[in-house]
């Protein structure tokens, strides 16, 4: 308790790497300010929501393991009896109607849906999906997790979809600067795109039914999910959409990436990139990108001193 209030008061003797802060940090109460590298505290209502969500997620993971027990035992029983195992554990499906049929049946039989979208979604198809998904979520019995690139925050269709599904209380969306695969995972199967392209009527899907592969896909999804930024509802002290995109741009600039590489990776247009860079230069009162990086580097150096 005393240590918490010392951080709240801004005690100069406390450093971000102070080992005494480890318990507070692991609980999400204390974090390191990115610009000053000083320990700071999050609002307690936000900490409460985070801890409750963490416990609910753990319960959800345990339930998923329990639900996999029948399929694992069935596989073992087939192996023991000498029966031929399912050869359709992984297949490529090219017909869009067949893909939609598989996905519909899998969602109907699942309690949790893990979805990740790598490119802008078609506005009309997304609007239709919103009507269907909001009705499904409002009916109870299923939960959605949706993962998008950070650039989705600049697009109205994805923003509206994330907000409307979140308002049901049964869905959460996050955004990430990382590159991740386009996929939808249910309790019984996973569908992965074999190309990083937008939604298309002729795009094949890799269908995974094997329980072990599905478990691995969910684990991979969780790694991206834990590192992503909540979208709706956003934590009280979370960065704005503009700050998140600026962060990704500056991170890639610092890594030596070109303008073309940044716009391609972050899925933003050259015009959007130019707008954000101009705003950053204006805010920090510099004229060139080189001066911008120099000023930011000086700030971090001063914070480390």
């Amino acid at each position: 308790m005393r240590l918490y209030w010392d951080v709240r008061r801004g005690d100069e003797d406390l450093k971000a790497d102070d080992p005494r802060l480890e318990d507070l940090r692991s609980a999400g109460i204390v974090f390191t300010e990115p610009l000053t590298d000083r320990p700071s505290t999050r609002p307690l209502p936000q900490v409460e929501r985070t801890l409750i969500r963490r416990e609910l997620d753990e319960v959800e993971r345990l339930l998923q393991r329990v639900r996999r027990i029948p399929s694992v035992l069935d596989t073992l029983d087939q192996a023991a009896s000498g029966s031929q195992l399912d050869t359709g554990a992984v297949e490529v499906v090219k017909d869009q109607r067949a893909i939609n049929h598989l996905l519909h049946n899998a969602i109907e039989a699942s309690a949790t849906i893990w979805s990740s979208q790598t490119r802008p979604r078609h506005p009309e198809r997304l609007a239709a999906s919103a009507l269907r998904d909001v009705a499904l979520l409002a009916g109870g019995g299923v939960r959605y997790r949706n993962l998008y690139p950070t650039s989705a925050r600049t697009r109205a269709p994805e923003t509206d979809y994330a907000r409307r599904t979140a308002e049901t209380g049964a869905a959460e969306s996050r955004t990430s600067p990382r590159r991740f695969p386009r996929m939808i995972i249910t309790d019984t199967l996973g569908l992965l795109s074999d190309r990083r392209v937008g939604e298309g009527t002729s795009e094949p899907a890799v269908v995974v039914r094997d329980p072990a592969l599905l478990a691995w896909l969910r684990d991979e999804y969780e790694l991206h999910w834990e590192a992503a930024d909540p979208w709706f509802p956003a934590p009280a002290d979370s960065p704005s959409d503009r700050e998140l995109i600026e962060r990704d741009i500056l991170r890639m600039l610092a890594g030596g990436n070109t303008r073309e590489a940044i716009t391609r990776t972050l899925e933003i247009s050259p015009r959007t990139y130019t707008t954000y860079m101009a705003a950053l230069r204006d805010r920090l009162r510099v004229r060139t990108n080189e001066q911008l990086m120099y000023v930011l580097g000086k700030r971090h150096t001063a914070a480390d001193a």
Side-chain angles (χ1 to χ4, degrees):
M1 182 69 70
R2 179 182 178 85
L3 195 58
Y4 169 78
W5 285 110
D6 287 343
V7 178
R8 284 287 300 270
R9 288 195 301 266
D11 189 338
E12 293 293 330
D13 293 331
L14 279 174
K15 305 299 182 184
D17 58 354
D18 192 314
R20 294 176 297 167
L21 299 175
E22 183 58 34
D23 289 341
L24 292 174
R25 189 182 296 280
S26 63
I29 299 173
V30 169
F31 72 104
T32 301
E33 289 282 359
L35 293 180
T36 65
D37 280 343
R38 298 285 305 164
S40 184
T41 60
R42 290 188 172 91
L44 292 181
Q46 178 195 343
V47 175
E48 181 183 38
R49 291 195 301 270
T50 301
L51 292 176
I52 291 175
R53 186 178 65 193
R54 185 183 301 174
E55 294 302 317
L56 290 175
D57 287 347
E58 181 60 25
V59 170
E60 184 179 322
R61 281 192 286 269
L62 291 174
L63 286 174
Q64 294 303 323
R65 291 179 61 182
V66 171
R67 292 191 184 100
R68 287 201 297 268
I69 289 176
S71 63
V72 173
L73 294 179
D74 183 62
T75 301
L76 293 174
D77 182 64
Q78 291 184 44
S81 63
S83 301
Q84 184 176 1
L85 297 179
D86 181 16
T87 57
V90 178
E91 63 176 319
V92 176
V93 178
K94 297 183 179 181
D95 182 73
Q96 191 66 36
R97 287 176 298 179
I99 293 173
N100 292 338
H101 180 72
L102 285 170
L103 185 58
H104 174 78
N105 289 342
I107 290 177
E108 288 290 320
S110 298
T112 304
I113 311 299
W114 297 264
S115 172
S116 60
Q117 300 291 337
T118 58
R119 290 291 181 96
R121 301 184 64 182
H122 190 281
E124 292 182 3
R125 282 195 287 269
L126 187 56
S129 296
L131 291 174
R132 177 200 64 206
D133 295 344
V134 166
L136 179 64
L137 292 165
V142 63
R143 296 187 63 84
Y144 268 25
R145 280 187 173 182
N146 298 299
L147 186 62
Y148 293 91
T150 306
S151 58
R153 292 172 179 260
T154 67
R155 297 190 289 269
E158 280 104 327
T159 299
D160 182 64
Y161 177 89
R163 177 185 55 77
R164 292 176 62 185
T165 53
E167 288 173 349
T168 67
E172 183 181 0
S173 295
R174 295 187 181 184
T175 62
S176 172
R178 296 182 175 185
R179 291 179 68 87
F180 49 82
R182 180 173 180 238
M183 57 185 175
I184 298 178
I185 308 171
T186 71
D187 293 342
T188 57
L189 61 79
L191 281 83
L192 292 82
S193 167
D194 66 345
R195 299 194 303 271
R196 291 185 58 85
V197 298
E199 294 181 324
T201 56
S202 61
E203 183 180 356
V206 177
V207 180
V208 177
R209 294 188 179 87
D210 180 76
L213 286 178
L214 281 175
W216 179 80
L217 286 175
R218 294 189 193 103
D219 288 343
E220 286 295 302
Y221 188 99
E222 288 296 329
L223 292 176
H224 291 287
W225 182 260
E226 293 299 328
D229 300 294
W231 196 354
F232 293 106
D237 65 341
S238 64
S240 66
D241 294 349
R242 173 184 56 79
E243 290 171 327
L244 287 171
I245 297 175
E246 288 178 351
R247 177 201 64 185
D248 296 345
I249 291 174
L250 292 174
R251 174 182 55 82
M252 293 196 68
L253 273 177
N257 289 275
T258 64
R259 167 188 172 132
E260 290 73 18
I262 293 172
T263 56
R264 183 176 62 252
T265 301
L266 300 183
E267 300 292 348
I268 58 176
S269 68
R271 182 176 181 178
T272 298
Y273 171 86
T274 300
T275 300
Y276 277 99
M277 290 304 297
L280 282 167
R281 291 194 299 269
D282 183 64
R283 194 182 316 147
L284 295 177
R285 299 180 181 178
V286 298
R287 294 184 177 180
T288 66
N289 291 349
E290 290 75 15
Q291 291 173 335
L292 174 64
M293 300 308 297
Y294 175 74
V295 170
L296 291 173
K298 284 186 64 177
R299 286 192 175 189
H300 283 288
T301 301
D304 293 337

